[in-house]
Amino acid sequence: MRSVIWLVLLFTAAVVTATVLGRNDALVSVFYGTWRVDFSLNLFLLILLAVVFIVFAGLQAAQSLLSLPTRAREWREQKRERAAGAALREALAELFAARYARAQRAAQRALDLQSLSNGLRGDLQFTVLAEMVAAAGLHRLQDKRARDERVNAALALVRGRIGSSTAFDGLQLLSAEWALEDRDAERGLALLAELPPGVARRTQALRLKLQAARQQRRPLDALQTARLLAKHQGFSAPAAQSLLRSLAIEAIDQAFDLDQLRRVWSNLDADDRRDAFVVARAARRAQSMGHAAQGRTWLQPSWDAIATAGADDRRELALALVDCAPGVGSDWLPRIEAALSVHGHEPALVAAAGMAFADRQLWGKARRPLEQTASASTLPPPVRRQALRCLAAIAREEGHEEHAHSYDQRAAAID
């Protein structure tokens, strides 16, 4: 298509030239002193065009010659800028390749070239990025003093500067991350506290807050931050559930009396209080403090829905009830029998039933579940040992000392 257009233009120019210059009747005379020169009109026009072209070319050549120093300076400036950019790219590549000393040297070379370039000298983003790369390399080399000097120099440049909020946020987040890697949770939290509210709610900032809370062994604060991360999809659903569960259990384990345990329980989220593993740990913790009744109180809501719970949840709840069986009331018997009617094949539920019946001195109903518990290899050894001791106690109540002695020997043989 382009060739066709050029061909049409060429024919048009030929027609115009033939029309204008086809007849050569005119004459141009040039007088200079006593001289007279006659030209045909066509020749005069050609000479005029040639003169104009020569003058224009001469002016262009003169302008190029006069601007040569300026263009040389611009070329040198562009060369410095390209070299500085190449050095910064090299620093990033070396950093990602775990060549930290080379990355630090390349970043310093980029800063040196920037200082020689008029175009880059005022580029704040370039300076901050180079300082961050150099600081990252120094951090990996465990040169904390030089790293902090780099960070402080960059912060001094961007603090309070208009349009530098992104650089400031990046420096603060990176500094907080390095502080946490140095196990300095207080400094990390102080750096995160300087962030604007919107930045403090970003996923990376929440991750760092979670890490700092865990380093300071403050599971309740970590639990609150983890919930925000889970809400913002900072973790996958299984990972979020596992993390929340572990933090809730850690908070429960840090309680050393019943009042502390109750405060921790009240501070847990409703979802955490419905988690069978968390409920079981709280019940066991209460029982270890001598308050089995409180443990059964926390177990009751989950136990009432045990028929619809998962197999792992049922196991945890049943084993927690085994520990909290001493002093169990008669109101628990219908609940236990209802669970047995649905999931009577599960060893943990059988163990819970046997311990509850034995505590209520229902020897006839307790004997068979306890025997099944004692022979269930999937149950924890302490549960099987406790079942054998209950069987020994029942045998002594019935006057069968030989059977009781046999049960005691079997209990002692369990590792």
Side-chain angles (χ1 to χ4, degrees):
M1 186 63 184
R2 183 178 301 176
S3 301
V4 174
I5 293 174
W6 278 109
L7 186 62
V8 171
L9 291 176
L10 181 61
F11 278 112
T12 303
V15 171
V16 171
T17 303
T19 303
V20 174
L21 304 178
R23 296 180 63 186
N24 196 14
D25 298 336
L27 186 68
V28 177
S29 298
V30 178
F31 295 91
Y32 181 76
T34 59
W35 295 88
R36 172 185 171 183
V37 180
D38 294 328
F39 299 95
S40 66
L41 179 61
N42 292 352
L43 180 60
F44 177 78
L45 291 177
L46 293 174
I47 293 173
L48 182 62
L49 287 174
V51 170
V52 170
F53 177 77
I54 292 171
V55 171
F56 180 76
L59 292 176
Q60 286 289 102
Q63 184 180 1
S64 298
L65 184 62
L66 293 174
S67 64
L68 186 60
T70 301
R71 289 189 292 114
R73 285 194 301 270
E74 291 177 352
W75 177 81
R76 287 193 296 269
E77 181 70 21
Q78 188 178 31
K79 185 177 180 180
R80 292 192 194 99
E81 291 182 7
R82 289 179 177 176
L88 184 57
R89 290 192 298 271
E90 180 187 353
L92 286 169
E94 298 289 2
L95 180 66
F96 294 147
R99 294 174 175 173
Y100 304 120
R102 295 185 182 184
Q104 191 271 335
R105 290 195 296 269
Q108 183 58 50
R109 188 165 65 254
L111 290 171
D112 294 339
L113 290 170
Q114 183 193 19
S115 65
L116 299 175
S117 173
N118 295 325
L120 285 177
R121 192 170 297 159
D123 192 337
L124 184 62
Q125 188 175 11
F126 185 96
T127 306
V128 172
L129 185 57
E131 292 283 6
M132 288 173 68
V133 174
L138 291 168
H139 171 72
R140 297 303 178 187
L141 295 171
Q142 295 297 309
D143 191 349
K144 298 179 183 180
R145 183 186 60 81
R147 178 201 67 189
D148 293 339
E149 289 178 356
R150 294 278 188 180
V151 172
N152 293 332
L155 284 173
L157 289 173
V158 301
R159 198 183 298 274
R161 295 283 294 271
I162 298 176
S164 61
S165 60
T166 302
F168 175 77
D169 297 342
L171 282 169
Q172 290 292 101
L173 287 171
L174 199 57
S175 300
E177 182 179 353
W178 291 340
L180 293 176
E181 290 183 7
D182 295 339
R183 310 299 294 179
D184 190 354
E186 291 185 4
R187 182 168 177 268
L189 288 174
L191 291 168
L192 291 173
E194 297 181 15
L195 293 172
V199 181
R201 289 192 295 270
R202 292 176 185 170
T203 301
Q204 177 63 10
L206 292 176
R207 288 182 186 274
L208 295 176
K209 287 182 180 178
L210 174 61
Q211 186 177 350
R214 299 196 74 177
Q215 285 186 10
Q216 292 183 328
R217 297 190 63 81
R218 295 189 300 174
L220 288 178
D221 293 342
L223 190 60
Q224 182 179 2
T225 306
R227 287 196 196 101
L228 288 175
L229 274 171
K231 182 179 179 182
H232 295 162
Q233 297 181 349
F235 306 107
S236 62
Q241 182 183 8
S242 177
L243 177 61
L244 293 173
R245 177 182 293 165
S246 64
L247 289 173
I249 290 174
E250 183 180 353
I252 289 170
D253 289 342
Q254 286 187 357
F256 294 102
D257 57 47
L258 186 60
D259 291 337
Q260 287 184 353
L261 186 59
R262 284 172 175 168
R263 283 195 296 270
V264 170
W265 182 260
S266 63
N267 287 328
L268 294 179
D269 193 69
D271 292 336
D272 298 327
R273 291 197 293 266
R274 286 192 293 266
D275 190 315
F277 287 81
V278 176
V279 174
R281 180 59 65 91
R284 289 195 182 99
R285 191 66 175 165
Q287 188 275 334
S288 67
M289 298 174 183
H291 299 279
Q294 179 64 75
R296 290 193 298 272
T297 300
W298 288 334
L299 280 173
Q300 180 179 338
S302 298
W303 192 274
D304 290 339
I306 197 171
T308 59
D312 292 338
D313 293 349
R314 289 195 300 271
R315 176 183 169 85
E316 285 298 314
L317 294 172
L319 293 178
L321 184 59
V322 169
D323 294 334
C324 297
V328 65
S330 58
D331 58 317
W332 273 88
L333 299 181
R335 296 189 181 97
I336 294 171
E337 291 175 350
L340 281 176
S341 65
V342 181
H343 300 287
H345 60 282
E346 297 183 3
L349 283 173
V350 173
M355 297 301 177
F357 294 153
D359 188 78
R360 295 295 300 173
Q361 298 183 357
L362 301 174
W363 312 128
K365 297 180 68 173
R367 181 176 286 105
R368 182 171 177 78
L370 290 174
E371 290 175 350
Q372 292 176 353
T373 301
S375 60
S377 59
T378 58
L379 290 175
V383 175
R384 296 162 55 199
R385 190 181 303 115
Q386 187 177 355
L388 287 169
R389 288 172 179 169
C390 288
L391 287 171
I394 293 173
R396 288 191 176 90
E397 286 289 334
E398 295 175 347
H400 300 149
E401 189 62 31
E402 293 181 0
H403 291 170
H405 183 66
S406 175
Y407 288 134
D408 286 336
Q409 286 182 335
R410 289 175 59 189
I414 295 178
D415 296 331

